[in-house]
Amino acid sequence: MGLLGAHVSTQGGVQNAPERGASLQCDAIAIFTKNQRQWRAKPLKEEEIEGFKENMKRFGIEIALSHDSYLINLGSPKEEIYRKSVEAFVDEIVRADQLDLPYLVFHPGSHLGEGEEWGLKKIAEGIEESLSRAPESRVMLLLETTAGQGTNLGYTFEQLAAIMDMVGDRERLGVCFDTCHAFAAGYDIRTPEAYGETFDRFEEVIGLRNLKAFHLNDSKFPLGSKKDRHEHIGEGEIGIEAFRLLVNDRRFEEHPMILETPGGDVWYSANLKVLRDLIQ
Ligand code: MN
Ligand code: MN
Ligand code: ZN
């Protein structure tokens, strides 16, 4: 089994997240290090940073991941938005580093009509520029697999590999596999055969050594629908079998597996229990 957990709230400050995670029996947590719907945020205070680190130990959370703001689009053809995105992304990297987080998960970006090839290049440029502005950073940036809604990029393994190859510093990049998104993008994991094929494909195109984390979500919409709507584990179009395969996959034993299911804390507890009951 991986390190199971959920994306928890940072209400009252990032230092409160570990206790919330522990109260839900999480081994791993994901957080926003700032309000995910605002461009700017005050820098983290020393007591928030220290409090977070202390509480990670005190409450026994093994790993915490950061998720970037929803406003950031490193693929934007609008220069002003692109600039703001790079600024905000650099700030995300700095915050993750201050909190000693090993991974920052981010949505690659949307081309908004300029075309996929153009968008992939723009995103790679944005990542490269952001990394070059945080040269001391130790956080690894994890590109999240996307559903391919609208003009979002990153919905094929080939697109993710293309971005990673274009960025000079490949060592600072990895992938977060979101089960709902990948399924909506057309990657089936519902049977042992389909599951095997999907991860064989991942190995061929990106390399499983670059797969560092999972978002565990069932999907409201069918395979290949390109719609990003999360459902409770086992209650959606993916179904329970895929999650049984994942939590028992020896290759992913040390991987954080983060729930982003709807409904908040009560439902996280229920979903975590469903996942733990699958472990053989
Ligand atoms: Mn995400
Ligand atoms: Mn996700
Ligand atoms: Zn999603």
Side-chain angles (χ1 to χ4, degrees), residues 191-235:
T191 62
E193 295 70 32
Y195 178 94
E197 272 169 38
T198 289
F199 287 103
D200 284 353
R201 186 87 191 131
F202 193 106
E203 165 68 358
E204 264 168 58
V205 179
I206 302 177
L208 283 174
R209 71 187 179 287
N210 297 303
L211 175 46
K212 302 295 187 185
F214 290 88
H215 285 168
L216 299 190
N217 305 305
D218 209 325
S219 172
K220 272 205 204 310
F221 289 101
L223 181 70
S225 61
K226 296 220 170 157
K227 286 197 185 128
D228 177 8
R229 289 283 298 284
H230 302 182
E231 183 52 281
H232 299 295
I233 302 298
E235 305 286 309

mmCIF file of all heavy atoms in Angstrom, residues 191-235:
data_model
loop_
_atom_site.group_PDB
_atom_site.id
_atom_site.type_symbol
_atom_site.label_atom_id
_atom_site.label_comp_id
_atom_site.label_asym_id
_atom_site.label_seq_id
_atom_site.Cartn_x
_atom_site.Cartn_y
_atom_site.Cartn_z
ATOM 1 N N THR A 191 -9.563 -3.138 -15.053
ATOM 2 C CA THR A 191 -9.314 -4.583 -14.946
ATOM 3 C C THR A 191 -7.806 -4.783 -14.814
ATOM 4 O O THR A 191 -7.033 -3.893 -15.195
ATOM 5 C CB THR A 191 -9.775 -5.309 -16.224
ATOM 6 O OG1 THR A 191 -8.994 -4.812 -17.329
ATOM 7 C CG2 THR A 191 -11.257 -5.082 -16.509
ATOM 8 N N PRO A 192 -7.376 -5.945 -14.313
ATOM 9 C CA PRO A 192 -5.931 -6.185 -14.211
ATOM 10 C C PRO A 192 -5.231 -5.992 -15.558
ATOM 11 O O PRO A 192 -4.130 -5.440 -15.603
ATOM 12 C CB PRO A 192 -5.841 -7.632 -13.735
ATOM 13 C CG PRO A 192 -7.111 -7.863 -12.989
ATOM 14 C CD PRO A 192 -8.151 -7.049 -13.701
ATOM 15 N N GLU A 193 -5.871 -6.397 -16.645
ATOM 16 C CA GLU A 193 -5.259 -6.270 -17.977
ATOM 17 C C GLU A 193 -5.112 -4.795 -18.367
ATOM 18 O O GLU A 193 -4.041 -4.351 -18.784
ATOM 19 C CB GLU A 193 -6.098 -6.984 -19.053
ATOM 20 C CG GLU A 193 -6.183 -8.481 -18.905
ATOM 21 C CD GLU A 193 -7.024 -8.937 -17.708
ATOM 22 O OE1 GLU A 193 -8.010 -8.234 -17.349
ATOM 23 O OE2 GLU A 193 -6.684 -9.973 -17.102
ATOM 24 N N ALA A 194 -6.206 -4.043 -18.243
ATOM 25 C CA ALA A 194 -6.175 -2.624 -18.620
ATOM 26 C C ALA A 194 -5.203 -1.851 -17.722
ATOM 27 O O ALA A 194 -4.432 -1.013 -18.196
ATOM 28 C CB ALA A 194 -7.575 -2.020 -18.515
ATOM 29 N N TYR A 195 -5.235 -2.169 -16.443
ATOM 30 C CA TYR A 195 -4.339 -1.531 -15.469
ATOM 31 C C TYR A 195 -2.881 -1.790 -15.863
ATOM 32 O O TYR A 195 -2.058 -0.869 -15.917
ATOM 33 C CB TYR A 195 -4.645 -2.108 -14.085
ATOM 34 C CG TYR A 195 -3.779 -1.600 -12.960
ATOM 35 C CD1 TYR A 195 -4.183 -0.520 -12.183
ATOM 36 C CD2 TYR A 195 -2.563 -2.218 -12.641
ATOM 37 C CE1 TYR A 195 -3.393 -0.066 -11.131
ATOM 38 C CE2 TYR A 195 -1.777 -1.770 -11.593
ATOM 39 C CZ TYR A 195 -2.194 -0.692 -10.839
ATOM 40 O OH TYR A 195 -1.409 -0.241 -9.802
ATOM 41 N N GLY A 196 -2.598 -3.044 -16.178
ATOM 42 C CA GLY A 196 -1.247 -3.420 -16.587
ATOM 43 C C GLY A 196 -0.806 -2.660 -17.821
ATOM 44 O O GLY A 196 0.310 -2.124 -17.883
ATOM 45 N N GLU A 197 -1.698 -2.581 -18.791
ATOM 46 C CA GLU A 197 -1.360 -1.883 -20.039
ATOM 47 C C GLU A 197 -1.112 -0.392 -19.811
ATOM 48 O O GLU A 197 -0.184 0.185 -20.388
ATOM 49 C CB GLU A 197 -2.495 -2.026 -21.060
ATOM 50 C CG GLU A 197 -2.379 -3.275 -21.911
ATOM 51 C CD GLU A 197 -3.643 -3.540 -22.717
ATOM 52 O OE1 GLU A 197 -4.270 -2.553 -23.202
ATOM 53 O OE2 GLU A 197 -4.019 -4.721 -22.826
ATOM 54 N N THR A 198 -1.955 0.229 -19.006
ATOM 55 C CA THR A 198 -1.786 1.664 -18.750
ATOM 56 C C THR A 198 -0.426 1.950 -18.117
ATOM 57 O O THR A 198 0.289 2.862 -18.543
ATOM 58 C CB THR A 198 -2.942 2.198 -17.879
ATOM 59 O OG1 THR A 198 -4.128 2.226 -18.684
ATOM 60 C CG2 THR A 198 -2.675 3.607 -17.360
ATOM 61 N N PHE A 199 -0.038 1.154 -17.112
ATOM 62 C CA PHE A 199 1.242 1.443 -16.461
ATOM 63 C C PHE A 199 2.445 0.972 -17.288
ATOM 64 O O PHE A 199 3.532 1.546 -17.171
ATOM 65 C CB PHE A 199 1.252 0.946 -15.012
ATOM 66 C CG PHE A 199 0.398 1.826 -14.137
ATOM 67 C CD1 PHE A 199 -0.872 1.417 -13.734
ATOM 68 C CD2 PHE A 199 0.827 3.100 -13.793
ATOM 69 C CE1 PHE A 199 -1.683 2.258 -12.971
ATOM 70 C CE2 PHE A 199 0.025 3.945 -13.034
ATOM 71 C CZ PHE A 199 -1.235 3.525 -12.628
ATOM 72 N N ASP A 200 2.235 -0.037 -18.154
ATOM 73 C CA ASP A 200 3.297 -0.389 -19.116
ATOM 74 C C ASP A 200 3.552 0.787 -20.053
ATOM 75 O O ASP A 200 4.679 1.128 -20.383
ATOM 76 C CB ASP A 200 2.896 -1.599 -19.970
ATOM 77 C CG ASP A 200 3.023 -2.906 -19.184
ATOM 78 O OD1 ASP A 200 3.540 -2.863 -18.047
ATOM 79 O OD2 ASP A 200 2.579 -3.949 -19.700
ATOM 80 N N ARG A 201 2.438 1.382 -20.484
ATOM 81 C CA ARG A 201 2.508 2.534 -21.380
ATOM 82 C C ARG A 201 3.225 3.709 -20.689
ATOM 83 O O ARG A 201 4.045 4.401 -21.275
ATOM 84 C CB ARG A 201 1.072 2.914 -21.774
ATOM 85 C CG ARG A 201 0.979 3.991 -22.798
ATOM 86 C CD ARG A 201 1.047 3.440 -24.208
ATOM 87 N NE ARG A 201 1.213 4.526 -25.142
ATOM 88 C CZ ARG A 201 2.114 4.555 -26.099
ATOM 89 N NH1 ARG A 201 2.926 3.527 -26.301
ATOM 90 N NH2 ARG A 201 2.209 5.597 -26.899
ATOM 91 N N PHE A 202 2.883 3.927 -19.443
ATOM 92 C CA PHE A 202 3.528 4.982 -18.660
ATOM 93 C C PHE A 202 5.035 4.737 -18.607
ATOM 94 O O PHE A 202 5.848 5.651 -18.820
ATOM 95 C CB PHE A 202 2.948 5.041 -17.241
ATOM 96 C CG PHE A 202 3.324 6.286 -16.475
ATOM 97 C CD1 PHE A 202 2.396 7.300 -16.250
ATOM 98 C CD2 PHE A 202 4.618 6.468 -15.994
ATOM 99 C CE1 PHE A 202 2.745 8.463 -15.559
ATOM 100 C CE2 PHE A 202 4.979 7.620 -15.301
ATOM 101 C CZ PHE A 202 4.040 8.610 -15.085
ATOM 102 N N GLU A 203 5.397 3.480 -18.340
ATOM 103 C CA GLU A 203 6.815 3.114 -18.254
ATOM 104 C C GLU A 203 7.533 3.400 -19.573
ATOM 105 O O GLU A 203 8.618 3.973 -19.590
ATOM 106 C CB GLU A 203 6.930 1.636 -17.854
ATOM 107 C CG GLU A 203 8.297 0.998 -18.050
ATOM 108 C CD GLU A 203 9.390 1.524 -17.124
ATOM 109 O OE1 GLU A 203 9.121 2.430 -16.329
ATOM 110 O OE2 GLU A 203 10.525 1.024 -17.231
ATOM 111 N N GLU A 204 6.888 3.016 -20.672
ATOM 112 C CA GLU A 204 7.489 3.228 -21.998
ATOM 113 C C GLU A 204 7.672 4.711 -22.319
ATOM 114 O O GLU A 204 8.701 5.115 -22.853
ATOM 115 C CB GLU A 204 6.545 2.704 -23.089
ATOM 116 C CG GLU A 204 6.808 1.313 -23.600
ATOM 117 C CD GLU A 204 5.615 0.875 -24.439
ATOM 118 O OE1 GLU A 204 5.295 1.574 -25.437
ATOM 119 O OE2 GLU A 204 4.991 -0.133 -24.069
ATOM 120 N N VAL A 205 6.645 5.498 -22.064
ATOM 121 C CA VAL A 205 6.633 6.887 -22.531
ATOM 122 C C VAL A 205 7.322 7.838 -21.555
ATOM 123 O O VAL A 205 8.068 8.730 -21.972
ATOM 124 C CB VAL A 205 5.178 7.362 -22.806
ATOM 125 C CG1 VAL A 205 5.154 8.814 -23.262
ATOM 126 C CG2 VAL A 205 4.509 6.455 -23.824
ATOM 127 N N ILE A 206 7.082 7.662 -20.256
ATOM 128 C CA ILE A 206 7.626 8.605 -19.265
ATOM 129 C C ILE A 206 8.659 7.937 -18.364
ATOM 130 O O ILE A 206 9.659 8.558 -17.994
ATOM 131 C CB ILE A 206 6.492 9.196 -18.383
ATOM 132 C CG1 ILE A 206 5.444 9.906 -19.244
ATOM 133 C CG2 ILE A 206 7.063 10.167 -17.352
ATOM 134 C CD1 ILE A 206 4.254 10.448 -18.473
ATOM 135 N N GLY A 207 8.421 6.676 -18.024
ATOM 136 C CA GLY A 207 9.294 5.975 -17.071
ATOM 137 C C GLY A 207 8.659 5.971 -15.694
ATOM 138 O O GLY A 207 8.376 7.044 -15.142
ATOM 139 N N LEU A 208 8.423 4.794 -15.132
ATOM 140 C CA LEU A 208 7.760 4.708 -13.822
ATOM 141 C C LEU A 208 8.606 5.337 -12.708
ATOM 142 O O LEU A 208 8.074 5.744 -11.685
ATOM 143 C CB LEU A 208 7.432 3.251 -13.475
ATOM 144 C CG LEU A 208 6.206 2.664 -14.188
ATOM 145 C CD1 LEU A 208 6.075 1.176 -13.884
ATOM 146 C CD2 LEU A 208 4.933 3.399 -13.779
ATOM 147 N N ARG A 209 9.926 5.430 -12.923
ATOM 148 C CA ARG A 209 10.752 6.066 -11.890
ATOM 149 C C ARG A 209 10.408 7.552 -11.730
ATOM 150 O O ARG A 209 10.708 8.154 -10.704
ATOM 151 C CB ARG A 209 12.242 5.894 -12.208
ATOM 152 C CG ARG A 209 12.701 6.709 -13.389
ATOM 153 C CD ARG A 209 14.117 6.432 -13.839
ATOM 154 N NE ARG A 209 14.411 7.265 -15.003
ATOM 155 C CZ ARG A 209 13.907 7.057 -16.218
ATOM 156 N NH1 ARG A 209 13.095 6.027 -16.446
ATOM 157 N NH2 ARG A 209 14.184 7.866 -17.221
ATOM 158 N N ASN A 210 9.769 8.121 -12.733
ATOM 159 C CA ASN A 210 9.358 9.531 -12.651
ATOM 160 C C ASN A 210 7.962 9.727 -12.057
ATOM 161 O O ASN A 210 7.510 10.846 -11.862
ATOM 162 C CB ASN A 210 9.394 10.178 -14.039
ATOM 163 C CG ASN A 210 10.795 10.192 -14.606
ATOM 164 O OD1 ASN A 210 11.709 10.719 -13.996
ATOM 165 N ND2 ASN A 210 10.977 9.574 -15.766
ATOM 166 N N LEU A 211 7.288 8.615 -11.797
ATOM 167 C CA LEU A 211 5.955 8.674 -11.178
ATOM 168 C C LEU A 211 6.148 8.728 -9.670
ATOM 169 O O LEU A 211 6.661 7.792 -9.067
ATOM 170 C CB LEU A 211 5.153 7.434 -11.594
ATOM 171 C CG LEU A 211 3.776 7.211 -10.973
ATOM 172 C CD1 LEU A 211 2.944 8.463 -10.969
ATOM 173 C CD2 LEU A 211 3.053 6.107 -11.720
ATOM 174 N N LYS A 212 5.778 9.848 -9.056
ATOM 175 C CA LYS A 212 6.120 10.076 -7.651
ATOM 176 C C LYS A 212 4.917 10.102 -6.714
ATOM 177 O O LYS A 212 5.086 9.966 -5.505
ATOM 178 C CB LYS A 212 6.859 11.415 -7.510
ATOM 179 C CG LYS A 212 8.133 11.526 -8.342
ATOM 180 C CD LYS A 212 9.184 10.543 -7.889
ATOM 181 C CE LYS A 212 10.500 10.786 -8.625
ATOM 182 N NZ LYS A 212 11.491 9.753 -8.279
ATOM 183 N N ALA A 213 3.726 10.355 -7.235
ATOM 184 C CA ALA A 213 2.560 10.490 -6.355
ATOM 185 C C ALA A 213 1.276 10.192 -7.123
ATOM 186 O O ALA A 213 1.271 10.211 -8.366
ATOM 187 C CB ALA A 213 2.501 11.904 -5.785
ATOM 188 N N PHE A 214 0.210 9.928 -6.366
ATOM 189 C CA PHE A 214 -1.113 9.692 -6.962
ATOM 190 C C PHE A 214 -2.157 10.589 -6.326
ATOM 191 O O PHE A 214 -2.070 10.901 -5.138
ATOM 192 C CB PHE A 214 -1.562 8.237 -6.709
ATOM 193 C CG PHE A 214 -0.783 7.215 -7.475
ATOM 194 C CD1 PHE A 214 0.385 6.681 -6.938
ATOM 195 C CD2 PHE A 214 -1.204 6.785 -8.724
ATOM 196 C CE1 PHE A 214 1.126 5.745 -7.642
ATOM 197 C CE2 PHE A 214 -0.478 5.849 -9.436
ATOM 198 C CZ PHE A 214 0.693 5.321 -8.891
ATOM 199 N N HIS A 215 -3.136 10.984 -7.122
ATOM 200 C CA HIS A 215 -4.381 11.517 -6.603
ATOM 201 C C HIS A 215 -5.406 10.415 -6.827
ATOM 202 O O HIS A 215 -5.586 9.971 -7.972
ATOM 203 C CB HIS A 215 -4.831 12.770 -7.367
ATOM 204 C CG HIS A 215 -4.031 13.992 -7.014
ATOM 205 N ND1 HIS A 215 -4.109 15.152 -7.746
ATOM 206 C CD2 HIS A 215 -3.165 14.226 -6.000
ATOM 207 C CE1 HIS A 215 -3.301 16.056 -7.190
ATOM 208 N NE2 HIS A 215 -2.717 15.518 -6.139
ATOM 209 N N LEU A 216 -6.027 9.947 -5.755
ATOM 210 C CA LEU A 216 -7.014 8.874 -5.887
ATOM 211 C C LEU A 216 -8.420 9.463 -5.875
ATOM 212 O O LEU A 216 -8.892 9.973 -4.861
ATOM 213 C CB LEU A 216 -6.873 7.865 -4.742
ATOM 214 C CG LEU A 216 -5.541 7.129 -4.615
ATOM 215 C CD1 LEU A 216 -5.672 6.001 -3.586
ATOM 216 C CD2 LEU A 216 -5.067 6.551 -5.946
ATOM 217 N N ASN A 217 -9.055 9.406 -7.019
ATOM 218 C CA ASN A 217 -10.423 9.885 -7.179
ATOM 219 C C ASN A 217 -11.137 8.960 -8.140
ATOM 220 O O ASN A 217 -10.552 8.574 -9.150
ATOM 221 C CB ASN A 217 -10.445 11.294 -7.799
ATOM 222 C CG ASN A 217 -9.612 12.294 -6.999
ATOM 223 O OD1 ASN A 217 -9.821 12.466 -5.807
ATOM 224 N ND2 ASN A 217 -8.654 12.937 -7.660
ATOM 225 N N ASP A 218 -12.397 8.617 -7.823
ATOM 226 C CA ASP A 218 -13.197 7.937 -8.839
ATOM 227 C C ASP A 218 -13.744 9.030 -9.761
ATOM 228 O O ASP A 218 -13.532 10.222 -9.505
ATOM 229 C CB ASP A 218 -14.314 7.115 -8.184
ATOM 230 C CG ASP A 218 -14.691 5.895 -9.028
ATOM 231 O OD1 ASP A 218 -14.650 6.004 -10.281
ATOM 232 O OD2 ASP A 218 -15.043 4.856 -8.453
ATOM 233 N N SER A 219 -14.392 8.627 -10.856
ATOM 234 C CA SER A 219 -14.820 9.586 -11.870
ATOM 235 C C SER A 219 -16.330 9.531 -12.091
ATOM 236 O O SER A 219 -16.898 8.457 -12.251
ATOM 237 C CB SER A 219 -14.098 9.262 -13.192
ATOM 238 O OG SER A 219 -14.613 10.045 -14.244
ATOM 239 N N LYS A 220 -16.954 10.705 -12.116
ATOM 240 C CA LYS A 220 -18.398 10.773 -12.389
ATOM 241 C C LYS A 220 -18.704 10.445 -13.845
ATOM 242 O O LYS A 220 -19.801 10.027 -14.169
ATOM 243 C CB LYS A 220 -18.906 12.193 -12.122
ATOM 244 C CG LYS A 220 -19.332 12.443 -10.703
ATOM 245 C CD LYS A 220 -20.350 13.588 -10.656
ATOM 246 C CE LYS A 220 -20.395 14.284 -9.299
ATOM 247 N NZ LYS A 220 -20.531 13.451 -8.135
ATOM 248 N N PHE A 221 -17.728 10.683 -14.727
ATOM 249 C CA PHE A 221 -17.988 10.522 -16.162
ATOM 250 C C PHE A 221 -17.173 9.365 -16.739
ATOM 251 O O PHE A 221 -16.156 8.968 -16.180
ATOM 252 C CB PHE A 221 -17.708 11.831 -16.890
ATOM 253 C CG PHE A 221 -18.735 12.890 -16.602
ATOM 254 C CD1 PHE A 221 -18.463 13.907 -15.691
ATOM 255 C CD2 PHE A 221 -19.993 12.846 -17.204
ATOM 256 C CE1 PHE A 221 -19.428 14.872 -15.397
ATOM 257 C CE2 PHE A 221 -20.958 13.808 -16.916
ATOM 258 C CZ PHE A 221 -20.673 14.825 -16.010
ATOM 259 N N PRO A 222 -17.620 8.805 -17.873
ATOM 260 C CA PRO A 222 -16.993 7.587 -18.410
ATOM 261 C C PRO A 222 -15.590 7.765 -18.997
ATOM 262 O O PRO A 222 -15.118 8.890 -19.207
ATOM 263 C CB PRO A 222 -17.963 7.126 -19.504
ATOM 264 C CG PRO A 222 -19.037 8.123 -19.612
ATOM 265 C CD PRO A 222 -18.822 9.202 -18.615
ATOM 266 N N LEU A 223 -14.986 6.626 -19.277
ATOM 267 C CA LEU A 223 -13.674 6.552 -19.905
ATOM 268 C C LEU A 223 -13.623 7.434 -21.157
ATOM 269 O O LEU A 223 -14.499 7.352 -22.012
ATOM 270 C CB LEU A 223 -13.398 5.096 -20.311
ATOM 271 C CG LEU A 223 -12.052 4.789 -20.977
ATOM 272 C CD1 LEU A 223 -10.911 4.918 -19.977
ATOM 273 C CD2 LEU A 223 -12.060 3.379 -21.574
ATOM 274 N N GLY A 224 -12.620 8.283 -21.252
ATOM 275 C CA GLY A 224 -12.446 9.109 -22.443
ATOM 276 C C GLY A 224 -13.387 10.306 -22.539
ATOM 277 O O GLY A 224 -13.391 11.002 -23.550
ATOM 278 N N SER A 225 -14.171 10.567 -21.498
ATOM 279 C CA SER A 225 -15.153 11.672 -21.551
ATOM 280 C C SER A 225 -14.494 13.044 -21.525
ATOM 281 O O SER A 225 -15.134 14.043 -21.845
ATOM 282 C CB SER A 225 -16.095 11.567 -20.357
ATOM 283 O OG SER A 225 -15.353 11.671 -19.154
ATOM 284 N N LYS A 226 -13.220 13.088 -21.110
ATOM 285 C CA LYS A 226 -12.486 14.348 -20.963
ATOM 286 C C LYS A 226 -13.121 15.305 -19.970
ATOM 287 O O LYS A 226 -12.877 16.509 -20.006
ATOM 288 C CB LYS A 226 -12.299 15.045 -22.326
ATOM 289 C CG LYS A 226 -11.453 14.230 -23.287
ATOM 290 C CD LYS A 226 -10.526 15.131 -24.060
ATOM 291 C CE LYS A 226 -9.499 14.356 -24.852
ATOM 292 N NZ LYS A 226 -8.981 15.142 -25.972
ATOM 293 N N LYS A 227 -13.955 14.768 -19.081
ATOM 294 C CA LYS A 227 -14.590 15.618 -18.074
ATOM 295 C C LYS A 227 -13.990 15.336 -16.715
ATOM 296 O O LYS A 227 -13.861 14.194 -16.306
ATOM 297 C CB LYS A 227 -16.091 15.362 -18.039
ATOM 298 C CG LYS A 227 -16.808 15.942 -19.222
ATOM 299 C CD LYS A 227 -18.298 16.027 -18.933
ATOM 300 C CE LYS A 227 -19.045 16.485 -20.165
ATOM 301 N NZ LYS A 227 -20.155 15.587 -20.495
ATOM 302 N N ASP A 228 -13.640 16.419 -16.018
ATOM 303 C CA ASP A 228 -12.968 16.333 -14.733
ATOM 304 C C ASP A 228 -13.976 16.513 -13.607
ATOM 305 O O ASP A 228 -14.194 17.612 -13.135
ATOM 306 C CB ASP A 228 -11.871 17.424 -14.693
ATOM 307 C CG ASP A 228 -11.157 17.473 -13.362
ATOM 308 O OD1 ASP A 228 -11.385 16.591 -12.515
ATOM 309 O OD2 ASP A 228 -10.352 18.407 -13.171
ATOM 310 N N ARG A 229 -14.599 15.395 -13.199
ATOM 311 C CA ARG A 229 -15.522 15.459 -12.059
ATOM 312 C C ARG A 229 -15.252 14.270 -11.154
ATOM 313 O O ARG A 229 -15.439 13.125 -11.556
ATOM 314 C CB ARG A 229 -16.985 15.437 -12.553
ATOM 315 C CG ARG A 229 -17.408 16.725 -13.245
ATOM 316 C CD ARG A 229 -17.690 17.864 -12.256
ATOM 317 N NE ARG A 229 -18.787 17.542 -11.341
ATOM 318 C CZ ARG A 229 -20.065 17.572 -11.682
ATOM 319 N NH1 ARG A 229 -20.452 17.903 -12.887
ATOM 320 N NH2 ARG A 229 -20.986 17.273 -10.792
ATOM 321 N N HIS A 230 -14.818 14.567 -9.937
ATOM 322 C CA HIS A 230 -14.414 13.508 -9.019
ATOM 323 C C HIS A 230 -15.620 12.845 -8.354
ATOM 324 O O HIS A 230 -16.628 13.490 -8.121
ATOM 325 C CB HIS A 230 -13.497 14.072 -7.934
ATOM 326 C CG HIS A 230 -12.264 14.728 -8.478
ATOM 327 N ND1 HIS A 230 -11.289 15.261 -7.687
ATOM 328 C CD2 HIS A 230 -11.845 14.928 -9.746
ATOM 329 C CE1 HIS A 230 -10.325 15.768 -8.433
ATOM 330 N NE2 HIS A 230 -10.649 15.586 -9.696
ATOM 331 N N GLU A 231 -15.454 11.569 -8.018
ATOM 332 C CA GLU A 231 -16.503 10.809 -7.338
ATOM 333 C C GLU A 231 -15.854 10.027 -6.200
ATOM 334 O O GLU A 231 -14.634 9.835 -6.181
ATOM 335 C CB GLU A 231 -17.173 9.875 -8.373
ATOM 336 C CG GLU A 231 -18.331 9.059 -7.870
ATOM 337 C CD GLU A 231 -19.408 9.885 -7.174
ATOM 338 O OE1 GLU A 231 -19.211 10.244 -5.997
ATOM 339 O OE2 GLU A 231 -20.440 10.147 -7.816
ATOM 340 N N HIS A 232 -16.667 9.599 -5.236
ATOM 341 C CA HIS A 232 -16.154 8.799 -4.120
ATOM 342 C C HIS A 232 -15.603 7.474 -4.641
ATOM 343 O O HIS A 232 -16.081 6.943 -5.646
ATOM 344 C CB HIS A 232 -17.259 8.575 -3.085
ATOM 345 C CG HIS A 232 -17.753 9.857 -2.508
ATOM 346 N ND1 HIS A 232 -16.949 10.672 -1.739
ATOM 347 C CD2 HIS A 232 -18.932 10.511 -2.641
ATOM 348 C CE1 HIS A 232 -17.624 11.756 -1.401
ATOM 349 N NE2 HIS A 232 -18.824 11.689 -1.941
ATOM 350 N N ILE A 233 -14.600 6.974 -3.913
ATOM 351 C CA ILE A 233 -13.912 5.751 -4.334
ATOM 352 C C ILE A 233 -14.894 4.582 -4.443
ATOM 353 O O ILE A 233 -15.596 4.250 -3.488
ATOM 354 C CB ILE A 233 -12.791 5.401 -3.308
ATOM 355 C CG1 ILE A 233 -11.787 6.545 -3.185
ATOM 356 C CG2 ILE A 233 -12.105 4.084 -3.687
ATOM 357 C CD1 ILE A 233 -11.016 6.898 -4.436
ATOM 358 N N GLY A 234 -14.926 3.996 -5.625
ATOM 359 C CA GLY A 234 -15.787 2.839 -5.855
ATOM 360 C C GLY A 234 -17.203 3.189 -6.279
ATOM 361 O O GLY A 234 -17.992 2.322 -6.638
ATOM 362 N N GLU A 235 -17.548 4.486 -6.235
ATOM 363 C CA GLU A 235 -18.925 4.903 -6.549
ATOM 364 C C GLU A 235 -19.055 5.463 -7.960
ATOM 365 O O GLU A 235 -20.141 5.846 -8.372
ATOM 366 C CB GLU A 235 -19.378 6.007 -5.574
ATOM 367 C CG GLU A 235 -19.271 5.673 -4.111
ATOM 368 C CD GLU A 235 -20.357 4.697 -3.694
ATOM 369 O OE1 GLU A 235 -21.528 4.964 -3.999
ATOM 370 O OE2 GLU A 235 -20.009 3.666 -3.088
#
